[in-house]
Amino acid sequence: MISSDESFGVKLKSLIDKNLPDSSLSADVICREMGVSRSSLHRLVKEHTDLSVNLFIRQCRLERAKFLLKTTELRIAEIAELVGIPNPQNFSKYFTEAFAVSPTEFRRQKPESESITPDPAPEPALIQPITDPVYTPQPEDNLPVVVHKRQYRYLIAGVIVAGLAGLALYVWLQLGRQHHGVSSLLGTNQSIAILPFKNMGPTDTGPLVEGITDDLHTVLSLGDSLKVVARTSSDQYQNTKKSIWQIGDELQVANLLKGSVLKNGNQLQVKLELIRTNDDIRLWAKTFSGSYNDLFRLTDQMGQEVLQQLNPSGVQRTQTISRPVPTTNTVAYNAFLQGRQLMLTRSEDKLKAAISQFEQAVQLDEHFADAYAYKAVCYQLLIDMGYQTGQAIWNQGKQNALTAIQFDSTNSTAYATLGSLYANAYQWKQAEAAFRQALRHNANDAQANYWYSLLLRSVGRLKEAMTYSTKAHTLDPLYPVILTGHVLNCAYAGHFDLASQTLADGKLLFGDSFLYAFGQSLTALAKDDYAQAANAYREALRLNPNLTTQWPSLYYCEARLGQPAHARAYLATQPETPQILYNKAVVCAGLGDQVNCLRYLRQAADGGYVYRDLLVFPVFRPYHRNPAFRAILRQYGLPDSLPATAQISSGL
């Protein structure tokens, strides 16, 4: 006789099996379908499998995938979709963690009947036999049937469900003992993302809500060994309908922090909830109240208490985290918040308006370091976006960054901005010193990690560049700019498998963006695959016609493929500014015209311009041993050759 718990297990496993293709299957759905409370479901699953409900669902998906890999010829991506894990990267990661072998390697192994000792057969009394009626073909069965690909997949899934239904209870009882490596699926507790806080007050308090969220992010980022996902990624979940498990899965974090803010007159009320992502359990919640004048004390208190919840044994350590109060002038802080809000679109007029707001803030509080730092960021963005050029605006950015550091020697934003400004001016040593200071004061700053990786790439330290762009991508996994930069670091270092895998992982995220095509083009270019590179450049230019700096690279590829018409036309029609002279050098390299290539490079360099990645750009590989090329590198403070390890990995 089957006990009530065992009967529940059979029903639960059957329900999960029938809904495996549905990636939204969750504890809430199961509770609704089976008519049980969330706590009862959690207790029963925990007792039988020692897993949370979500991890049990995931393990069922992986067991099904294991079966399909051995018994069908379906592609791995199709199997991943059939079992409800449509993201191939996540599917491969979960499968490897559960079974200590990748899906590809598992499929290559011998059939289970040859290499795996079968488990003992389940008790016959516990198996419910399934008897299908005998089917007699009818004349209508000869009619042609059109089955769409997706229908075909679900048809296979249905057949498999029927075939495995008799083993439902056995799997239920065995999973608790067979979840190889499942504990690793829980991940580390030392990771968190802050979801966009809700504004419970009038619309005009929106910048304040943003400021509190950002300030709390800064406090948490100062925690030792804590991964705090950058807001560029976490802000994408504004008003999301995705489940806690899905968000945690996509951001690869163990915890989410949700919050709401209400400002009533001069009083603030902030409600926080800390939620564990693998089972959607609320670990902690608290309401903080105080005067708007005590805002920074309040956010520090919130941050310290969240850190304590994440690491109860490290109370003494987390209490040592401190930072200067940004400002005691609430009017100055309001102007600062308005400036931060204006920066978001990065348009020229909004950046200039933001500078005015930051200027107002420092007039009200001349020691307001963050206002100086973000004013420097605006000047840097005006340069990077191509809105303004020249020594004067560069000096403005540098001076504001240095002023911020003068008033707050731990201001990581100011150091990172200063590093980027120095790098744009080819002042590599000063840039590295600034970036190191930025990361010393905030190792969780995704942007600083990314910018530092770009500097390391420019000076040929490609292995280090990959290390820092990997960390930046981990901290900001949904930001296409960082993902593309990481792809380039991998490709230039000769790690084409990693570059291709990163592109594949990011396809769902930004496959329709020019950045994706741009990453494809440079990866192909690094492999000397000129046909693929040319196609990718054309796609990038189709998606973003303003990407005019990439036309010469396309003409380079065409010339290498024996199609020189566009390259020759470009050389004949374009003016000779320093930037265009450099572009002409690229085109001449494609034509195999070494003399004119080096002549144009020399003229561009003498005019004050070289491409920051000149040392590692694949176009100029054939010139690395040329004395004239090396002289240009030295002129701009770059090493005149790549390190030996970089040369080997890049095939030089």
Side-chain angles (χ1 to χ4, degrees):
M1 182 175 178
I2 301 176
S3 70
S4 59
D5 276 4
E6 290 171 343
S7 176
F8 175 83
V10 173
K11 292 177 182 177
L12 174 62
K13 188 61 172 60
S14 177
L15 175 64
I16 292 174
D17 282 342
K18 290 177 182 177
N19 291 277
L20 278 186
D22 183 359
S23 61
S24 65
L25 180 64
S26 65
D28 290 337
V29 173
I30 292 173
C31 289
R32 185 168 60 250
E33 291 292 326
M34 299 191 69
V36 297
S37 68
R38 191 180 183 87
S39 59
S40 296
L41 177 65
H42 182 76
R43 177 184 61 80
L44 287 167
V45 173
K46 192 74 173 176
E47 285 177 358
H48 283 280
T49 69
D50 197 31
L51 296 172
S52 69
V53 176
N54 283 329
L55 283 181
F56 176 66
I57 294 172
R58 185 187 298 177
Q59 187 65 10
C60 291
R61 297 185 193 279
L62 295 174
E63 291 287 349
R64 175 66 53 77
K66 189 176 178 183
F67 178 84
L68 292 174
L69 284 167
K70 282 299 184 186
T71 59
T72 75
E73 297 299 322
L74 292 171
R75 293 185 299 111
I76 291 176
E78 292 176 321
I79 291 174
E81 185 173 347
L82 275 174
V83 300
I85 309 177
N87 185 313
Q89 177 193 19
N90 289 340
F91 174 72
S92 179
K93 176 178 181 293
Y94 298 150
F95 192 95
T96 303
E97 288 176 337
F99 304 117
V101 63
S102 71
T104 302
E105 289 300 319
F106 178 79
R107 174 167 264 175
R108 289 174 182 164
Q109 293 174 355
K110 293 181 180 180
E112 292 191 24
S113 59
E114 298 178 17
S115 60
I116 301 176
T117 303
D119 293 318
E123 293 291 334
L126 300 182
I127 300 178
Q128 304 301 313
I130 299 176
T131 305
D132 292 328
V134 176
Y135 175 69
T136 304
Q138 300 297 320
E140 291 81 4
D141 291 334
N142 294 323
L143 294 173
V145 178
V146 177
V147 180
H148 292 288
K149 189 174 183 180
R150 185 173 294 276
Q151 292 173 323
Y152 173 71
R153 293 174 183 171
Y154 290 125
L155 178 61
I156 293 175
V159 172
I160 293 168
V161 167
L164 295 178
L167 299 176
L169 179 60
Y170 173 64
V171 174
W172 160 260
L173 294 173
Q174 293 296 317
L175 272 176
R177 297 190 294 271
Q178 294 181 350
H179 55 284
H180 308 291
V182 164
S183 60
S184 65
L185 296 175
L186 295 171
T188 173
N189 189 50
Q190 299 300 300
S191 57
I192 191 170
I194 305 176
L195 297 184
F197 284 6
K198 292 182 179 179
N199 179 15
M200 308 304 290
T203 306
D204 61 4
T205 59
L208 171 63
V209 177
E210 284 291 309
I212 291 174
T213 310
D214 203 58
D215 205 44
L216 187 54
H217 184 279
T218 299
V219 175
L220 294 181
S221 296
L222 299 176
D224 295 341
S225 304
L226 177 65
K227 169 189 169 183
V228 186
V229 169
R231 290 198 59 200
T232 318
S233 287
S234 58
D235 281 359
Q236 295 191 31
Y237 296 94
Q238 182 84 44
N239 301 320
T240 185
K241 293 183 179 179
K242 292 185 176 181
S243 68
I244 293 295
W245 179 81
Q246 285 177 297
I247 298 172
D249 194 51
E250 291 174 5
L251 294 178
Q252 292 294 292
V253 291
N255 305 281
L256 294 177
L257 187 67
K258 300 176 71 175
S260 63
V261 179
L262 174 63
K263 183 176 185 289
N264 186 9
N266 197 45
Q267 293 299 306
L268 282 176
Q269 184 183 81
V270 183
K271 294 182 179 180
L272 298 181
E273 286 183 280
L274 185 64
I275 302 170
R276 192 165 58 202
T277 58
N278 65 13
D279 52 15
D280 198 5
I281 288 180
R282 187 171 70 175
L283 301 174
W284 169 83
K286 187 170 180 177
T287 299
F288 297 83
S289 300
S291 167
Y292 181 44
N293 296 327
D294 292 331
L295 172 63
F296 300 113
R297 179 194 60 78
L298 200 62
T299 52
D300 279 348
Q301 181 187 350
M302 289 188 285
Q304 298 291 351
E305 293 203 26
V306 171
L307 288 170
Q308 183 175 336
Q309 294 299 321
L310 293 173
N311 184 24
S313 62
V315 175
Q316 293 299 320
R317 177 173 58 82
T318 58
Q319 285 179 343
T320 63
I321 296 172
S322 62
R323 60 184 183 133
V325 174
T327 181
T328 57
N329 188 315
T330 56
V331 180
Y333 187 63
N334 285 336
F336 171 77
L337 292 177
Q338 294 293 334
R340 289 290 307 274
Q341 195 78 8
L342 287 165
M343 288 176 62
L344 295 178
T345 63
R346 296 195 175 189
S347 64
E348 183 176 7
D349 59 334
K350 292 293 180 64
L351 287 173
K352 290 179 177 178
I355 289 173
S356 296
Q357 289 293 324
F358 295 137
E359 185 60 38
Q360 181 182 340
V362 298
Q363 287 175 359
L364 292 165
D365 180 356
E366 62 180 5
H367 298 126
F368 194 171
D370 278 347
Y372 288 108
Y374 280 93
K375 191 178 173 187
V377 173
C378 286
Y379 285 119
Q380 181 217 340
L381 289 173
L382 286 171
I383 296 170
D384 285 352
M385 303 296 289
Y387 299 138
Q388 294 187 24
T389 58
Q391 189 68 33
I393 191 168
W394 186 89
N395 287 338
Q396 288 268 39
K398 175 185 174 183
Q399 187 55 53
N400 277 278
L402 290 173
T403 303
I405 293 168
Q406 176 187 345
F407 293 129
D408 176 9
S409 61
T410 66
N411 195 299
S412 61
T413 300
Y415 282 115
T417 306
L418 188 62
S420 186
L421 288 165
Y422 280 138
N424 285 338
Y426 312 109
Q427 298 178 26
W428 314 112
K429 291 182 179 179
Q430 296 93 323
E432 179 163 19
F435 284 133
R436 285 190 172 278
Q437 284 294 322
L439 294 173
R440 175 189 170 198
H441 296 299
N442 187 354
N444 274 320
D445 188 331
Q447 192 71 66
N449 277 281
Y450 176 62
W451 283 344
Y452 187 32
S453 81
L454 300 186
L455 168 72
L456 293 167
R457 183 172 81 203
S458 293
V459 299
R461 290 155 59 183
L462 296 172
K463 184 176 180 180
E464 292 175 81
M466 286 179 59
T467 298
Y468 283 93
S469 61
T470 297
K471 183 170 184 180
H473 181 44
T474 300
L475 291 167
D476 205 349
L478 304 185
Y479 189 24
V481 171
I482 288 179
L483 192 147
T484 304
H486 180 53
V487 167
L488 267 59
N489 287 343
C490 294
Y492 287 175
H495 291 278
F496 302 122
D497 53 342
L498 289 176
S500 298
Q501 184 61 53
T502 304
L503 280 169
D505 295 343
K507 188 170 185 179
L508 288 176
L509 169 65
F510 72 123
D512 57 352
S513 165
F514 80 91
L515 286 169
Y516 185 81
F518 184 59
Q520 285 182 312
S521 66
L522 284 168
T523 299
L525 187 63
K527 294 190 291 185
D528 296 333
D529 187 342
Y530 303 118
Q532 184 179 350
N535 288 333
Y537 274 123
R538 292 188 189 102
E539 179 65 8
L541 288 161
R542 183 188 70 81
L543 293 168
N544 185 358
N546 295 323
L547 201 65
T548 55
T549 55
Q550 300 309 311
W551 284 109
S553 295
L554 170 59
Y555 300 153
Y556 167 88
C557 293
E558 290 178 344
R560 297 292 290 172
L561 292 168
Q563 304 162 14
H566 288 139
R568 297 193 186 284
Y570 184 87
L571 292 173
T573 59
Q574 293 298 310
E576 295 195 347
T577 64
Q579 171 78 61
I580 298 298
L581 287 166
Y582 167 80
N583 292 342
K584 287 187 174 184
V586 172
V587 172
C588 285
L591 293 168
D593 185 352
Q594 185 179 93
V595 172
N596 281 314
C597 173
L598 290 171
R599 178 172 66 85
Y600 283 130
L601 270 181
R602 164 55 59 197
Q603 290 176 347
D606 290 344
Y609 178 83
V610 295
Y611 180 39
R612 269 185 54 173
D613 285 347
L614 180 66
L615 175 62
V616 295
F617 193 37
V619 164
F620 297 112
R621 280 181 189 159
Y623 299 82
H624 277 209
R625 293 183 176 87
N626 186 289
F629 183 77
R630 289 187 167 189
I632 294 170
L633 292 173
R634 289 194 297 271
Q635 179 181 344
Y636 277 80
L638 290 165
D640 62 6
S641 63
L642 283 170
T645 53
Q647 292 178 11
I648 293 170
S649 63
S650 298
L652 295 174

